Amino acid sequence: MEFDIADLEQLEANGTLINVIMHEMGHVLGFGTLWERMGLLQGIGTHDPRFIGRNAMTEFARLVGSQIPIPIPVENIGEIGTKNSHWRDSIFGNEVMTSILGGSLNPMSRLTLAALQDMGYSVKIDAADAFVLPNANQLASIRADQATDHRQQEGCNCKHRQSKTHEFAQSITR
């Protein structure tokens, strides 16, 4: 990961630096960047790409109240670096691995940790932040609060979100 000094100063000043680092570290570990190569992404190039790792599908089913694993909707709009490499913002709202920085809370859910587990990492799933799927009103509020977008930064194709500090390094090992 590379950040230029001007970006670091701005991110630190607005309180998003650690959160952006956590999100980008997910990509460094392969979240969204290795899914296709690992056979974990179906529907590439369609209007409905899905992550198909078994552990994450089980966690998504839990989120929607099902006992049957369900493929997870992946972002289907945007440019390279956004599309096919994040959880779908229109469904997951402010979860840390969506493509949008918004609000003051961006949890790292069991879903994200389970996806890393599907990629071969050992995770402490219970270290995940509490997360429920947002309703339509909550999604609208999250979108209205999307004040930070550093996609213009050199080398960054993501919109990032503000969130609390996560014990990321302690919850994932390989």
Side-chain angles (χ1 to χ4, degrees), residues 4 11 42 49 62 64-65 75 99 101 104 112 114-115 130 133-134 140 145 174:
D4 77 30
L11 292 169
Q42 72 178 19
R62 188 181 63 76
V64 299
E75 191 59 71
S99 63
L101 171 63
S104 61
T112 291
L133 292 174
D145 197 23
R174 189 164 197 179

Side-chain angles (χ1 to χ4, degrees), residues 20 23-28 30-36 41 44-45 49 74-89 96-101 149-161:
V20 169
H23 174 88
E24 291 303 330
M25 198 53 138
H27 290 309
V28 169
F31 189 99
T33 58
L34 295 177
W35 290 349
E36 183 177 359
L41 187 61
I44 300 164
V74 171
E75 191 59 71
N76 59 352
I77 59 173
E79 300 173 14
I80 295 172
T82 299
K83 188 176 185 176
N84 296 322
S85 60
H86 295 90
W87 299 138
R88 194 170 305 165
D89 176 62
V96 72
M97 292 310 294
T98 60
S99 63
I100 303 296
L101 171 63
D149 177 351
H150 78 280
R151 204 189 306 210
Q152 300 89 9
Q153 294 177 14
E154 225 174 282
C156 179
N157 293 317
C158 301
K159 292 181 186 175
H160 302 283
R161 70 231 113 277

